[in-house]
Amino acid sequence: MYKIENHKVSDAARVDSHLDEAGYHKLYKQSIDEPDTFWVEQAERFLTWDKPWSKVHESDMSKGEAAWFIDGKLNVSVNCIDRHLDKRGDQTAIIWEGDEPSDSKNISYRELHEHVCRLANVLRARGVKKGDRVCLYMPMIPEAAYAMLACSRIGAVHSVVFGGFSPDALRDRINDSDCQAVITADEGVRGGKRVPLKQNVEKALKECPNVHTVVTVKRTGGDVEWHEHRDIWYHEACAAVSTDCPPEIMDSEDPLFILYTSGSTGKPKGVLHTTGGYLLGSAMTHHYVFDYHDGEVYWCTADVGWITGHSYIVYGPLCNGATTLMFEGVPTYPDASRCWDIVDKHKVNIFYTAPTAIRALMAQGNELVTKTSRASLRLLGSVGEPINPEAWEWYYHVVGEMRCPIVDTWWQTETGAIMITPLPGATDLKPGSATRPFFGVEPALVDPEGNELEGVASGNLIIKRSWPSQIRTVYGDHQRLIDTYFSAYKGVYFTGDGARRDEDGYYWITGRVDDVLNVSGHRIGTAEVESALVLHDSVAEAAVVGCPHDIKGQCIYAYVMPMRGITPSDELVKELKAFVAEQVGSFAKPDFVQWTPGLPKTRSGKIMRRVLRKIACDELDTLGDTSTLADPAVVDELVANRLNRA
Ligand code: ATP
Ligand code: MG
């Protein structure tokens, strides 16, 4: 167990970071006080425009409307590839690491250009044009990035659907945004297992009448069903076309992609992002938050099927001319040292992952980490859920050997880019806090009535002004955008998350507002109780929910996964309850502690508390949409062993 303490910038920062503390404050102040000056400088610095904008920005937050760099023209693939060719044509753009450790390759910016242009020409030849939607259902292979960039080159709107989704989930997403072309692979490979992607596409397309083209990448050579007029092989089609593809010049506000949220809280929403603002947001944050310097190797472990993969594997890094690593496999194959082996093999400098992966690797013990060198690492990042301070300190001490700052980045599919985060070299770190807002982001806390809370406070997290990479609409349902994000509080964006602000103005995300516990009048964030549980040596992972209680209003139900080698017992339950009481307060003591070998997670690795809440409350007939669960079998196990039965 590591002591949870604050870490000064000077403990672990490099000397040539882009910004220091004063630099952050100066730039942040400019971004809020003189937004137009600030954004003009940034948009000129980070992007190459074919035609300048006539107006920087216009928004009406009560209608969920925002426009940035109005009338400006640019093309995303040109910004991510063509403009780098002179200076860094031979530099590696993408390092691809296959599922098997023996399988990897480097793709230079020049090669990337050729691949993207060819595929763009193939799509054009199939009649795909500006504004058409193209669904990508791909494994983590370079062709996934080529496909995203090829769409952007011709102005088509991509909708990437995570390759772990079922045929039904794929069908619903194809139809929701009326995609007419699909790009996939014969099979994916993850953790030594094959995933029948083309077969899933076949099942999905039985009920997708408008799809006229399926492009299939040959990844494994496995058997596939084939439809002569609809299907083309990627390698054959690309070989037959030119490597020259004039880009479609896009308006700053033309759509770039649609991406469905992970579905932690309900039916997934088709989040629409546009061109100029999104690209600026992802590039700027990639530069500042990861303190990226030329020549460094940067690795984000997310899947391209999630926003993190969009912004921080593909668009942000490539726009900045970086070298980005793309990993096909899983952190535990062939064994749980894989991530650190990859770091050593490719000399990774910056590593960005999710708390769920950190906790899973932590539960495996330190040996698997410490036997590797990791000497190249200098910065670590976290995203996706609140990171428990215990896991933070483990990441800091064991993985980063106290030499790498950790950036705990809070953001959402809807925000397009990182919103609240430390900046390396500029921000003192507190484990579990996402710290301070990024440039141009004006967060605030409000009570349920919408009154803004000042100073040290706990409340609902809102964003008070428009930012460039903001969601533009929920595809096909603008009213749902307004209802979900712009109605709870007038004229501001409601994040759906709760947060606390401390005496230094640092933000601590306490979890989703819908998940906040209210025990005897005390409002407690799920993250606070979970972090206390995880702090205990015998606990690998924990999730807590509230259920109705006659006297207290709500009582706390905890699901707890033991560390490897720990045998659950009633004694241990007592100890855990006492431990939480000591860490948080006796009001936060769980009433129920259910042991479990696993927790229900979305396919992006987030704990799905709404399902846990139903089980805890013994409301089994209303479990809701579980189509985005990674492993539905976990639910059966939890139901069978539930403790609170009517
Ligand atoms: P849905 O909106 O469909 O329920 P989702 O919210 O899980 O799904 P994402 O956009 O992938 O979909 O996740 C964003 C959410 O993840 C945030 O609202 C927040 O709850 C959580 N989150 C992300 N990063 C952090 C972080 N650094 N600290 C705390 N929470 C985080
Ligand atoms: Mg969400």
Side-chain angles (χ1 to χ4, degrees):
M1 192 150 110
Y2 297 94
K3 191 165 157 241
I4 293 172
E5 57 188 349
N6 299 343
H7 300 269
K8 290 272 174 214
V9 161
S10 48
D11 289 352
R14 55 191 281 164
V15 280
D16 63 341
S17 55
H18 294 316
L19 288 172
D20 58 10
E21 168 106 31
Y24 163 77
H25 286 296
K26 187 164 166 247
L27 218 49
Y28 182 74
K29 190 168 184 312
Q30 189 202 25
S31 75
I32 298 299
D33 295 347
E34 304 158 68
D36 280 16
T37 315
F38 174 83
W39 287 115
V40 165
E41 278 174 24
Q42 303 300 326
E44 284 173 349
R45 172 173 173 202
F46 282 93
L47 306 184
T48 302
W49 298 81
D50 290 290
K51 185 180 153 252
W53 49 89
S54 59
K55 190 170 181 202
V56 176
H57 156 243
E58 211 166 58
S59 74
D60 181 345
M61 296 287 261
S62 65
K63 296 194 189 120
E65 290 170 1
W68 282 83
F69 310 109
I70 296 159
D71 299 325
K73 308 276 182 207
L74 76 168
N75 179 280
V76 168
S77 80
V78 169
N79 273 273
C80 291
I81 314 171
D82 303 46
R83 65 171 177 152
H84 303 315
L85 292 178
D86 273 353
K87 202 175 139 205
R88 43 177 116 239
D90 297 322
Q91 183 200 305
T92 300
I94 300 175
I95 299 174
W96 178 73
E97 168 81 9
D99 190 52
E100 289 301 329
S102 56
D103 209 3
S104 61
K105 64 181 168 193
N106 291 356
I107 297 111
S108 69
Y109 272 94
R110 204 177 315 286
E111 289 164 330
L112 179 63
H113 183 256
E114 185 179 324
H115 289 297
V116 169
C117 286
R118 282 185 191 274
L119 181 55
N121 279 328
V122 168
L123 293 173
R124 262 192 188 148
R126 296 291 295 199
V128 177
K129 50 182 198 317
K130 181 175 169 179
D132 289 354
R133 274 83 53 214
V134 177
C135 174
L136 275 49
Y137 184 62
M138 306 277 284
M140 286 288 284
I141 54 178
E143 287 81 359
Y146 306 162
M148 292 164 74
L149 291 160
C151 288
S152 78
R153 193 159 192 93
I154 62 171
V157 181
H158 59 71
S159 165
V160 184
V161 176
F162 173 54
F165 275 124
S166 66
D168 286 1
L170 174 62
R171 175 200 60 205
D172 292 346
R173 287 164 178 74
I174 289 174
N175 286 334
D176 187 76
S177 45
D178 192 25
C179 295
Q180 306 198 354
V182 177
I183 306 176
T184 188
D186 50 359
E187 295 177 310
V189 191
R190 286 187 91 209
K193 295 195 197 77
R194 292 185 173 201
V195 187
L197 295 175
K198 179 66 161 56
Q199 199 180 311
N200 289 348
V201 169
E202 291 301 339
K203 287 183 188 157
L205 292 194
K206 289 205 165 57
E207 292 167 281
C208 302
N210 294 341
V211 173
H212 57 67
T213 295
V214 178
V215 184
T216 304
V217 178
K218 192 172 257 180
R219 169 65 186 98
T220 64
D223 283 341
V224 291
E225 195 180 316
W226 207 252
H227 295 260
E228 209 45 55
H229 296 291
R230 191 197 67 193
D231 284 345
I232 52 177
W233 281 111
Y234 175 95
H235 61 281
E236 288 178 6
C238 285
V241 293
S242 157
T243 57
D244 178 40
C245 178
E248 186 82 40
I249 301 306
M250 304 295 284
D251 191 275
S252 179
E253 279 302 328
D254 278 334
L256 177 63
F257 65 84
I258 297 163
L259 181 65
Y260 292 85
T261 55
S262 52
S264 308
T265 52
K267 183 171 171 276
K269 303 167 277 276
V271 171
L272 183 103
H273 282 290
T274 55
T275 301
Y278 170 79
L279 192 62
L280 179 60
S282 55
M284 246 181 102
T285 46
H286 173 261
H287 175 83
Y288 283 115
V289 176
F290 300 107
D291 192 38
Y292 186 82
H293 283 63
D294 259 1
E296 288 189 315
V297 177
Y298 163 89
W299 179 19
C300 163
T301 69
D303 192 280
V304 288
W306 312 120
I307 190 68
T308 308
H310 281 58
S311 301
Y312 300 113
I313 295 178
V314 180
Y315 290 120
L318 295 177
C319 188
N320 290 338
T323 297
T324 179
L325 192 149
M326 187 176 194
F327 175 40
E328 184 180 37
V330 296
T332 47
Y333 179 82
D335 64 39
S337 280
R338 185 67 189 276
C339 288
W340 325 122
D341 288 339
I342 295 174
V343 166
D344 288 347
K345 177 175 171 187
H346 299 290
K347 303 282 172 292
V348 173
N349 305 112
I350 302 162
F351 178 75
Y352 188 33
T353 196
T356 180
I358 299 167
R359 289 188 301 255
L361 294 172
M362 184 169 92
Q364 302 282 328
N366 296 358
E367 225 303 84
L368 290 160
V369 188
T370 53
K371 72 176 197 191
T372 62
S373 156
R374 286 157 291 111
S376 56
L377 281 182
R378 66 165 194 83
L379 180 66
L380 302 172
S382 170
V383 61
E385 285 181 294
I387 176 165
N388 322 103
E390 173 75 359
W392 194 105
E393 292 287 3
W394 180 85
Y395 199 28
Y396 183 77
H397 281 89
V398 181
V399 176
E401 294 176 337
M402 299 191 287
R403 132 187 120 245
C404 308
I406 296 178
V407 288
D408 174 0
T409 61
W410 175 85
W411 60 297
Q412 311 176 300
T413 310
E414 298 86 340
T415 68
I418 294 167
M419 299 289 276
I420 302 183
T421 178
L423 300 183
T427 316
D428 291 338
L429 305 173
K430 300 185 189 184
S433 172
T435 77
R436 294 187 295 217
F438 189 71
F439 306 125
V441 175
E442 196 183 355
L445 300 176
V446 293
D447 67 15
E449 284 73 48
N451 305 306
E452 188 168 336
L453 306 167
E454 302 293 333
V456 175
S458 239
N460 296 347
L461 180 64
I462 59 161
I463 310 291
K464 286 172 75 174
R465 64 167 81 189
S466 174
W467 65 100
S469 61
Q470 165 184 338
I471 178 175
R472 296 300 193 268
T473 194
V474 169
Y475 191 81
D477 194 354
H478 195 75
Q479 191 57 45
R480 187 162 177 215
L481 174 92
I482 297 172
D483 294 347
T484 313
Y485 310 101
F486 296 97
S487 295
Y489 309 107
K490 213 165 167 40
V492 300
Y493 171 84
F494 174 44
T495 64
D497 287 339
R500 178 162 66 79
R501 191 173 45 224
D502 72 13
E503 59 289 354
D504 294 319
Y506 277 31
Y507 286 86
W508 301 70
I509 308 297
T510 47
R512 293 162 200 275
V513 169
D514 297 345
D515 294 331
V516 167
L517 310 162
N518 196 332
V519 182
S520 311
H522 300 281
R523 288 172 66 78
I524 317 166
T526 49
E528 298 170 84
V529 184
E530 286 160 8
S531 289
L533 286 164
V534 175
L535 194 57
H536 195 277
D537 282 339
S538 57
V539 177
E541 214 169 345
V544 306
V545 296
C547 38
H549 186 276
D550 288 348
I551 297 153
K552 298 196 266 191
Q554 267 188 329
C555 67
I556 299 182
Y557 193 116
Y559 298 86
V560 176
M561 227 176 98
M563 276 286 186
R564 203 165 70 168
I566 297 288
T567 321
S569 67
D570 290 348
E571 270 316 297
L572 197 50
V573 168
K574 268 197 210 123
E575 198 180 309
L576 287 181
K577 288 182 181 176
F579 190 70
V580 174
E582 184 193 308
Q583 294 292 327
V584 191
S586 59
F587 57 89
K589 209 153 95 174
D591 300 81
F592 298 97
V593 175
Q594 177 175 348
W595 295 99
T596 171
L599 293 167
K601 295 200 174 159
T602 62
R603 284 166 205 263
S604 54
K606 295 171 202 235
I607 299 168
M608 222 198 248
R609 286 189 193 72
R610 79 184 148 81
V611 171
L612 292 174
R613 202 182 305 126
K614 291 288 177 187
I615 299 173
C617 302
D618 204 23
E619 291 166 8
L620 303 180
D621 25 326
T622 50
L623 285 182
D625 182 2
T626 51
S627 66
T628 58
L629 272 181
D631 177 12
V634 172
V635 174
D636 301 335
E637 205 278 336
L638 289 169
V639 168
N641 296 313
R642 69 193 190 280
L643 300 172
N644 181 26
R645 298 180 194 235

